[in-house]
Amino acid sequence: MTRGEKKVIFASSLGTVFEWYDFYLYGSLATIIGAQFFSQFPKATADIFALLAFAAGFLVRPFGALVFGRLGDLVGRKYTFLVTIMIMGLSTFVVGLLPGYNQIGVAAPVILIAARLLQGLALGGEYGGAATYVAEHAPHGRRGFYTSWIQTTATLGLFLSLIVILFSRTILGEANFAIWGWRVPFLVSVVLLGISLWIRLQLNESPAFLKMKEEGTHSKAPLKEAFGNWSNAKIALLALLGLTMGQGVVWYTGQFYALFFMQSILKVDGYTANLLIAWSLVLGTGFFVFFGWLSDKIGRKPIIMAGCLIAAVCYFPLFQALTTAANPALERALDTVKVDVVADPASCGKLFNPVGTRVFTAPCDTARDFLAKNSIRYSTTDGPAGSPAQIMINSQPFPAFDPTGAADLKAARADWDKATLAALQAAGYPKAGDPGIVKMTSPFDLNRQVLAIIGLLFILVLFVTMVYGPIAAALVELFPTRIRYTSMSLPYHIGNGWFGGLLPATAFAMVAQTGDIYFGLWYPIFFAAICFVIGMLFLPETKDRDIYADD
């Protein structure tokens, strides 16, 4: 690797790390942000709106791919990803300065959501530009290795955001951090933006793009040529269904749903859960480069397809082992405490609530929603028509919460929650702060329980590196230079932004509907398996392809 090639990879990767850092800050601090910008609502509702604002960034990523992909194929790779990093960095800096709802009223959440949308649009254009730029500088036979450095950026960005947040919390203290210290990681982004811009301004345009412009062979209408022409559109569709759909769900399961599962279902405290994920990322990040390098030797397809298949087969035993290691009392309770919700089936509705905005009032629904949020495994049994709903805990009946006649609805619900939770804990479910639940007091508090969990999380990250390490090279090699930026960006961001980004909320909604804490795993298993089948049947191997043959 020449000095110039190293500079290309470093500049492209570093800028993308900073963009992912900006993007993940919001997700990591969603609860605190909800209290600042949605304080006009009750806490639970504020948290929901904060998460919806985070989800908005995922939803607009494909539109960013279209806007900036077109721009990248028209005016150049370098200038486009200079624009995207400017938008991302400034949007993040604005969030750090933005007054809360108590200061400027409804303008605060409106500006916040606008900043999130701009971040999502910018990220939709960043990845395709960086991956295309590096691939077009890479020598033939080494594209997998060169572009794999780009693949480390999302993980490194997440890791960097976690480190800055943990450092700020430690220095400032939890009270100050919740009031004003949460702004520090957002404001730091302006320094990162300055460094990224300085480095990227020193880069030259992609030689492949310059040659194409000089010869006049560049596309005059990239969107129309990429997706209005079926011969290319079908390749983009295959890239989505046979590559990025499975890669997206495997990635988000290994890095995000695992974090969500530990915090929301296994009741591991946020500090410990973030440290455990951080350790798994430290151990696993190098494998992005390893599998990118390996894909130059044996092909992109076998590694990505193997990652999807192995992940789909192993998710249930791995997450069950995670429960055993992180919260053994919960595992025992799941096996020994029998909980049934008995109710007239006509009084029970659907609990599917992926965005968390529904309010349940029917006793059957409030009972099941309460059990799901407290990680209680339950089943639903049909009762006689017109019979009141009740919860059976080891065959002992407890009435479901019924708001009818309550003078103080909030107090009555709080009393019911407390009494029902006490009954479940008496039957064997662990209390909050149970000594058996894993807890770390410092980043190097590495006892046997902690190491076991890090090992399991490392395996999940290893699956991520298998599907993600070679993906940039595989996408670049599917499309010609004149529409490469546009064509590869859209399937990537639909697969990751929609199939992957909506995974945590959808999976938890599936858990709530069924009463099985592992049922949400069927979401990534289903899409990874479908991707494996489509990829194996229809996806071509591209590692030896001349990416300039059609120019």
Side-chain angles (χ1 to χ4, degrees):
M1 191 183 295
T2 66
R3 183 178 179 181
E5 290 168 342
K6 290 178 182 178
K7 183 178 179 181
V8 165
I9 292 172
F10 178 74
S12 302
S13 300
L14 187 62
T16 311
V17 166
F18 293 159
E19 287 216 60
W20 281 111
Y21 165 85
D22 292 344
F23 194 75
Y24 288 141
L25 275 183
Y26 186 98
S28 301
L29 299 174
T31 301
I32 292 175
I33 288 172
Q36 294 286 332
F37 295 97
F38 300 100
S39 57
Q40 68 272 39
F41 301 109
K43 183 182 183 307
T45 307
D47 289 347
I48 289 167
F49 277 110
L51 290 172
L52 286 176
F54 183 55
F58 287 102
L59 295 176
V60 300
R61 279 169 57 179
F63 301 102
L66 292 174
V67 171
F68 292 109
R70 175 181 179 274
L71 192 64
D73 284 327
L74 284 174
V75 303
R77 286 64 162 121
K78 171 186 173 179
Y79 296 105
T80 302
F81 66 34
L82 282 172
V83 171
T84 59
I85 201 167
M86 278 286 292
I87 293 173
M88 177 67 83
L90 292 176
S91 299
T92 305
F93 186 65
V94 165
V95 173
L97 295 176
L98 185 61
Y101 181 85
N102 293 335
Q103 285 75 48
I104 61 173
V106 72
V110 170
I111 297 172
L112 176 72
I113 292 171
R116 286 293 305 139
L117 293 174
L118 286 172
Q119 284 182 321
L121 288 171
L123 191 56
E126 167 65 21
Y127 176 82
T132 300
Y133 187 80
V134 171
E136 290 177 350
H137 279 85
H140 183 71
R142 303 208 73 193
R143 281 188 297 270
F145 175 67
Y146 278 49
T147 58
S148 66
W149 292 95
I150 295 290
Q151 305 311 102
T152 67
T153 58
T155 297
L156 292 173
L158 171 60
F159 183 73
L160 180 61
S161 69
L162 294 177
I163 292 299
V164 173
I165 290 169
L166 288 171
F167 182 78
S168 300
R169 275 184 152 141
T170 302
I171 297 297
L172 301 174
E174 284 295 327
N176 286 331
F177 186 82
I179 296 170
W180 61 269
W182 64 270
R183 297 180 181 275
V184 172
F186 286 92
L187 297 175
V188 166
S189 68
V190 76
V191 178
L192 306 181
L193 171 63
I195 295 171
S196 300
L197 283 174
W198 178 71
I199 293 174
R200 285 190 172 185
L201 283 169
Q202 299 179 55
L203 297 176
N204 296 316
E205 182 54 86
S206 159
F209 182 83
L210 288 176
K211 181 175 183 292
M212 186 175 62
K213 288 281 285 187
E214 290 170 2
E215 295 173 351
T217 57
H218 66 287
S219 176
K220 305 298 191 297
L223 290 178
K224 182 179 180 181
E225 188 174 346
F227 307 116
N229 183 342
W230 175 242
S231 63
N232 190 78
K234 68 180 180 182
I235 301 299
L237 185 62
L238 179 60
L240 169 62
L241 300 180
L243 276 178
T244 63
M245 179 178 70
Q247 171 259 306
V249 297
V250 172
W251 179 27
Y252 277 82
T253 301
Q255 292 189 185
F256 294 100
Y257 188 64
L259 178 63
F260 175 86
F261 185 84
M262 285 192 295
Q263 290 181 279
S264 298
I265 295 179
L266 301 186
K267 308 305 180 185
V268 178
D269 69 273
Y271 178 81
T272 299
N274 280 296
L275 282 178
L276 291 168
I277 291 290
W279 271 113
S280 70
L281 296 179
V282 168
L283 296 174
T285 297
F287 285 90
F288 287 107
V289 178
F290 170 76
F291 285 115
W293 167 83
L294 187 62
S295 74
D296 286 330
K297 309 299 180 184
I298 66 173
R300 328 297 185 203
K301 179 175 174 177
I303 297 173
I304 297 172
M305 294 298 102
C308 287
L309 180 62
I310 297 170
V313 170
C314 293
Y315 276 151
F316 274 113
L318 281 174
F319 276 82
Q320 288 165 355
L322 199 58
T323 303
T324 303
N327 194 339
L330 176 61
E331 184 198 31
R332 289 192 298 271
L334 292 172
D335 293 335
T336 59
V337 181
K338 181 174 174 56
V339 179
D340 283 310
V341 176
V342 182
D344 176 359
S347 69
C348 297
K350 298 292 185 182
L351 291 189
F352 194 68
N353 188 24
V355 296
T357 55
R358 293 179 60 194
V359 177
F360 302 107
T361 56
C364 175
D365 297 341
T366 56
R368 292 183 297 153
D369 183 56
F370 170 82
L371 294 172
K373 288 177 178 176
N374 284 279
S375 307
I376 310 298
R377 175 180 284 171
Y378 71 89
S379 57
T380 305
T381 303
D382 292 347
S387 62
Q390 57 183 350
I391 301 173
M392 305 293 292
I393 304 175
N394 287 337
S395 301
Q396 183 178 355
F398 291 84
F401 177 71
D402 189 343
T404 306
D408 186 337
L409 183 60
K410 185 176 181 179
R413 177 58 195 266
D415 290 341
W416 181 86
D417 287 357
K418 184 177 179 181
T420 306
L421 191 58
L424 290 162
Q425 290 169 349
Y429 273 92
K431 298 179 181 180
D434 183 279
I437 300 175
V438 64
K439 185 173 181 62
M440 297 177 69
T441 57
S442 74
F444 298 98
D445 183 10
L446 303 175
N447 56 52
R448 183 176 297 179
Q449 183 186 26
V450 169
L451 291 174
I453 296 168
I454 291 174
L456 293 168
L457 295 174
F458 167 73
I459 296 172
L460 291 173
V461 171
L462 199 61
F463 298 158
V464 175
T465 63
M466 291 180 69
V467 299
Y468 200 51
I471 199 76
L475 289 170
V476 163
E477 291 161 351
L478 284 172
F479 304 104
T481 306
R482 64 184 180 275
I483 54 171
R484 179 170 295 134
Y485 198 150
T486 304
S487 298
M488 71 165 287
S489 293
L490 186 63
Y492 174 83
H493 285 291
I494 292 178
N496 287 271
W498 291 2
F499 285 95
L502 297 178
L503 185 151
T506 305
F508 184 71
M510 294 166 67
V511 169
Q513 179 66 32
T514 60
D516 182 352
I517 68 169
Y518 303 114
F519 192 79
L521 294 172
W522 283 113
Y523 179 104
I525 288 171
F526 175 78
F527 287 114
I530 292 295
C531 182
F532 171 78
V533 173
I534 293 175
M536 288 300 295
L537 290 177
F538 303 109
L539 190 72
E541 178 53 64
T542 58
K543 79 176 181 69
D544 296 321
R545 183 172 290 183
D546 179 359
I547 63 172
Y548 309 114
D550 296 329
D551 291 354

